[in-house]
Amino acid sequence: EKAVNLKKDLAEMQEWMTQAEEEYLEKDFEYKSPEELENAVEEMKRAKEDVLQKEVRVKILKDNIKMLAAKVPSSGQDLATELNVVLENYQLLCNRIRGKCHTLEEVWSCWIELLQYLDLETAWLNNLEARVQMTGNLPDKLDAVNDALESLESVLRHPADNRTQIRELGQTLIDGGILDDIISEKLEAFNARYEELSHLAVSRQITLEQQLQTMRETDHMLQVLQESLGDLDRQLTSYLTDRIDAFQMPQEAQ
């Protein structure tokens, strides 16, 4: 009777493993929204816990069959053969569910990481847009233009590492058919805004550089003229002090 019950337990265990495999490993999953992906991750975590909890039952079966084999070798040998099949299938099921759970957790982590990088780069784009707008109505002063140019250039020196991460993470998820529509839409919007603002910022940078160069040249010309007028003023003052007649002066002094 004990052998019959153990044989029944082995059959039930095998049936449960078959159902678990069909439910967790064989059905097709489509992750078209973050909610679907998150639910799938939580489901696989529960599946892993559920399968691992059966380890106690498997161990009890194994111990009972060993005890029976020690007492009744003929009955125990047949059950031991069936047990080995169940143990092999159970270990395979555990490994597959662990693997799928790990994969889904990695995918979810990849999605969260992508969102974080997008947030960082969006904040940078907002800053870049604000700096560009600040250059629109500058006072006609060399210092103001120079400060605006340096401020804009400091933002433009932003490293490209984050954008590389965005591109690679997005492509990895899209290639796997995971959240592909949502990610494609997000990347398209981000890239379009990045290209637009980058071109605008570089164009404004060139304009400011030209404006600054013109102002410096004008400032230099005014300085040279002022120095020349100063020299002339000092020379004319000396002529007046010495009471020299205008007709005795050089033509340019007259």
Side-chain angles (χ1 to χ4, degrees):
E1 184 180 354
K2 188 171 184 179
V4 172
N5 289 334
L6 288 172
K7 189 176 183 66
K8 182 180 178 183
D9 289 341
L10 285 171
E12 289 176 352
M13 186 66 190
Q14 183 60 56
E15 183 180 357
W16 175 85
M17 288 190 295
T18 301
Q19 291 175 351
E21 185 173 354
E22 291 175 354
E23 182 176 357
Y24 299 126
L25 299 172
E26 293 183 359
K27 69 179 181 180
D28 294 330
F29 290 95
E30 286 190 4
Y31 312 114
K32 295 300 181 183
S33 72
E35 292 76 20
E36 289 179 2
L37 177 59
E38 186 174 19
N39 290 338
V41 172
E42 293 304 317
E43 182 179 358
M44 285 309 301
K45 285 182 180 178
R46 289 192 296 270
K48 185 173 73 171
E49 292 175 1
D50 190 21
V51 169
L52 293 178
Q53 283 176 357
K54 297 294 182 183
E55 188 175 2
V56 175
R57 182 181 177 187
V58 171
K59 187 177 184 306
I60 292 174
L61 274 172
K62 184 178 179 180
D63 292 343
N64 287 338
I65 289 173
K66 281 185 177 180
M67 290 174 60
L68 180 64
K71 293 179 180 178
V72 187
S74 58
S75 300
Q77 185 62 41
D78 292 338
L79 288 173
T81 302
E82 292 185 34
L83 174 65
N84 287 335
V85 173
V86 168
L87 289 176
E88 184 178 341
N89 290 341
Y90 176 73
Q91 192 59 51
L92 180 61
L93 178 65
C94 286
N95 292 339
R96 290 180 66 190
I97 285 183
R98 278 198 196 99
K100 186 164 186 178
C101 186
H102 176 72
T103 299
L104 282 175
E105 287 176 330
E106 287 290 309
V107 169
W108 179 253
S109 175
C110 189
W111 162 248
I112 295 300
E113 193 175 2
L114 173 62
L115 292 181
Q116 290 172 343
Y117 278 116
L118 280 172
D119 285 343
L120 286 173
E121 288 304 284
T122 298
W124 173 75
L125 285 176
N126 292 339
N127 188 22
L128 179 61
E129 186 175 24
R131 296 294 177 92
V132 170
Q133 290 175 350
M134 288 170 60
T135 65
N137 296 308
L138 293 173
D140 193 20
K141 294 182 179 179
L142 192 146
D143 289 345
V145 175
N146 187 59
D147 290 346
L149 178 60
E150 289 182 352
S151 177
L152 183 58
E153 286 177 337
S154 69
V155 180
L156 285 173
R157 285 193 289 268
H158 183 68
D161 297 354
N162 288 352
R163 294 194 299 280
T164 300
Q165 290 293 328
I166 288 172
R167 183 175 62 254
E168 292 178 353
L169 289 168
Q171 196 59 53
T172 298
L173 291 169
I174 290 172
D175 289 346
I178 299 165
L179 308 178
D180 44 356
D181 292 338
I182 292 175
I183 292 173
S184 295
E185 184 179 340
K186 282 182 175 293
L187 294 186
E188 184 177 349
F190 169 77
N191 290 329
R193 187 178 180 216
Y194 172 78
E195 291 298 326
E196 179 185 0
L197 280 175
S198 294
H199 289 155
L200 180 60
V202 171
S203 176
R204 189 61 57 84
Q205 180 186 19
I206 294 172
T207 300
L208 288 174
E209 287 172 346
Q210 293 172 343
Q211 185 180 355
L212 189 62
Q213 181 64 28
T214 301
M215 294 178 76
R216 282 174 175 166
E217 290 174 355
T218 302
D219 190 61
H220 177 68
M221 290 172 60
L222 288 173
Q223 186 176 356
V224 170
L225 180 59
Q226 188 174 13
E227 290 175 356
S228 177
L229 289 172
D231 290 342
L232 181 58
D233 182 63
R234 285 189 294 274
Q235 188 177 15
L236 290 174
T237 300
S238 68
Y239 289 157
L240 291 172
T241 303
D242 295 339
R243 299 180 179 278
I244 296 176
D245 188 86
F247 292 106
Q248 295 176 303
M249 297 182 188
Q251 185 63 38
E252 67 271 14
Q254 293 182 30

